[in-house]
């Protein structure tokens, strides 16, 4: 069934973060800088990891995947939002809205799985250090990334198809800055029981599964670190998990914050502001968290900059000589 029976909905109105026009330039500037920082920071991580053979280990390849994902998440949401503010035209087409739902659900799910894969990687590194290179071979790493991608695509496809069967009867105003799955289900005027059920079950399975995996891995990691006798050994083992643990905490704290704030208030605009955190702020902070906390990345960054500067000088000199 298409959207609506007698009234064909061609688009929706995205209300954005605020209805105060004087705040729009501020929001525009803020989100533009956040977006550019996200692009720059994450691209730098991807380039550094790919250009440095010291970092061709599962942990850094997964981190670089996460950076790629961070770019994808913000790029499905922020550029569209910036255009809306700039043109003062808040209409998003039905197709545009559905693609935003599909992509944002896809990337959020993949993010979740990738964090669990990274926790497993840390678990193997600390609890089975002697077999690490055998267990985490490139085939397994590729397979883990591929499987989490496939599960996320299937889930996102299911959720989007479920949205397609809903009808929206009036001119729908979305109190949000992008078309978000949960929000859209609430705005439909047909029966949403099936949608709510599917969303609930898949959230429990797809968010609960990885979370259980992460908690289990860290339970094993902590009990294994506990058995190390020297304080220095303890610190060394734990420090390899530090960047992953910070990224995981940031991810789950913001998601929990959004969930609690939307449960506590009936005001959807408040929960829209809260969801800025995990859709926009987390992807920006991620590269800084793991590059600041991590010596390997810092050193690789230095090498990367030195090499780039050297290449730049060579090009300049070559041009001068011509
Ligand atoms: C993602 O991870 C896989 C498996 O480790 C790796 O082969 C690939 O290069 C990574 N992709 C990016 C963009 O980092």
């Amino acid at each position: 069934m298409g959207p609506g029976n007698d009234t064909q909905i061609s688009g929706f109105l995205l209300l954005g973060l605020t209805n105060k026009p004087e705040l729009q330039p501020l929001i525009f500037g803020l989100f533009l800088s956040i977006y550019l920082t996200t692009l720059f920071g994450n691209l730098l991580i991807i380039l550094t990891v790919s250009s440095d053979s010291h970092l061709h280990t599962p942990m850094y390849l997964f981190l670089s995947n996460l950076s790629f994902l961070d770019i994808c998440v913000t790029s499905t949401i922020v550029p569209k939002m910036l255009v809306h503010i700039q043109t003062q035209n808040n209409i998003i087409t039905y197709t545009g809205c559905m693609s935003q739902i599909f992509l944002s659900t896809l990337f959020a799910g993949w993010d979740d799985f990738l964090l669990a894969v990274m926790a497993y990687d840390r678990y193997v590194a600390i609890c089975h250090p002697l077999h690490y290179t055998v267990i985490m071979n490139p085939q397994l790493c590729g397979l883990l990334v591929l499987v989490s991608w496939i599960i996320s695509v299937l889930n996102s496809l299911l959720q989007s198809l479920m949205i397609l069967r809903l009808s929206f009867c009036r001119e729908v105003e979305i109190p949000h800055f992008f078309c978000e799955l949960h929000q859209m289900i609430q705005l439909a005027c047909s029966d949403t029981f099936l949608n709510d059920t599917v969303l609930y079950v898949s959230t429990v399975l797809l968010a609960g599964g990885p979370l259980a995996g992460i908690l289990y891995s860290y339970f094993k990691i902590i009990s294994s670190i506990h058995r190390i006798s020297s304080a220095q050994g303890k610190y060394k083992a734990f420090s390899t998990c530090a960047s992953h643990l910070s990224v995981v905490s940031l991810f789950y704290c913001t998601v929990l914050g959004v969930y609690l704030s939307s449960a506590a208030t009936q005001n959807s605009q408040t929960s829209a502001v809260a969801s800025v955190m995990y859709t926009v702020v987390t992807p920006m902070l991620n590269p800084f968290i793991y590059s600041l906390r991590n010596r390997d990345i810092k050193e690789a960054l230095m090498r990367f900059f030195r090499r780039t500067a050297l290449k730049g000088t060579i090009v300049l000199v070559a041009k001068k000589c011509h």
Side-chain angles (χ1 to χ4, degrees), residues 24-291:
Q24 297 294 354
L26 180 72
I27 293 185
F28 183 85
L30 190 66
F31 277 76
L32 183 62
S33 353
I34 291 182
Y35 185 58
L36 293 179
T37 315
T38 309
L39 283 189
F40 176 76
N42 286 297
L43 268 180
L44 199 58
I45 296 282
I46 295 177
L47 286 177
T48 313
V49 171
S50 69
S51 70
D52 203 308
S53 55
H54 296 276
L55 299 184
H56 286 176
T57 62
M59 183 165 95
Y60 294 111
L61 288 174
F62 292 142
L63 275 184
S64 141
N65 272 283
L66 205 59
S67 281
F68 172 68
L69 200 51
D70 284 339
I71 293 180
C72 294
V73 173
T74 33
S75 298
T76 56
I77 296 169
V78 180
K80 187 92 191 147
M81 178 192 182
L82 293 177
V83 169
H84 281 168
I85 297 180
Q86 197 58 19
T87 57
Q88 301 190 332
N89 172 3
N90 286 352
I91 296 173
I92 184 165
T93 61
Y94 187 81
T95 327
C97 193
M98 292 306 136
S99 10
Q100 258 191 352
I101 290 181
F102 176 75
L103 292 174
S104 58
T105 313
L106 167 65
F107 295 133
W110 196 21
D111 207 333
D112 198 18
F113 273 102
L114 213 50
L115 289 177
V117 167
M118 291 165 80
Y120 176 70
D121 167 68
R122 290 297 85 211
Y123 157 73
V124 177
I126 289 179
C127 301
H128 305 280
L130 299 179
H131 301 126
Y132 179 69
T133 42
V134 179
I135 299 178
M136 293 306 282
N137 55 42
Q139 286 79 18
L140 181 70
C141 295
L143 190 69
L144 287 173
V145 171
L146 187 69
V147 168
S148 41
W149 166 252
I150 291 175
I151 297 177
S152 319
V153 169
L154 291 180
N155 170 53
S156 179
L157 210 55
L158 172 69
Q159 305 292 351
S160 312
L161 290 177
M162 294 291 294
I163 291 282
L164 286 183
R165 60 175 280 285
L166 292 177
S167 47
F168 300 89
C169 358
R170 7 176 204 103
E171 272 306 306
V172 181
E173 295 187 337
I174 308 173
H176 213 297
F177 58 98
F178 69 103
C179 289
E180 196 223 20
L181 181 62
H182 188 238
Q183 194 73 245
M184 295 309 290
I185 295 180
Q186 285 182 338
L187 290 171
C189 69
S190 50
D191 183 31
T192 61
F193 176 74
L194 202 57
N195 291 68
D196 287 326
T197 315
V198 169
L199 181 61
Y200 186 75
V201 171
S202 67
T203 308
V204 168
L205 290 180
L206 294 188
L211 181 60
I214 292 174
L215 290 178
Y216 181 75
S217 300
Y218 271 97
F219 173 71
K220 288 295 219 182
I221 288 174
I222 289 172
S223 51
S224 161
I225 287 181
H226 199 64
R227 269 183 264 124
I228 300 177
S229 49
S230 75
Q232 202 192 1
K234 270 186 187 158
Y235 177 75
K236 202 163 167 238
F238 195 72
S239 67
T240 65
C241 305
S243 9
H244 177 251
L245 203 55
S246 347
V247 174
V248 167
S249 324
L250 188 65
F251 181 80
Y252 280 101
C253 288
T254 47
V255 169
L256 195 69
V258 171
Y259 179 77
L260 289 181
S261 70
S262 53
T265 62
Q266 288 305 310
N267 186 348
S268 357
Q269 208 111 26
T270 316
S271 59
V273 175
S275 66
V276 168
M277 281 304 290
Y278 78 99
T279 51
V280 182
V281 178
T282 313
M284 176 186 71
L285 291 183
N286 276 345
F288 294 100
I289 291 178
Y290 37 79
S291 52

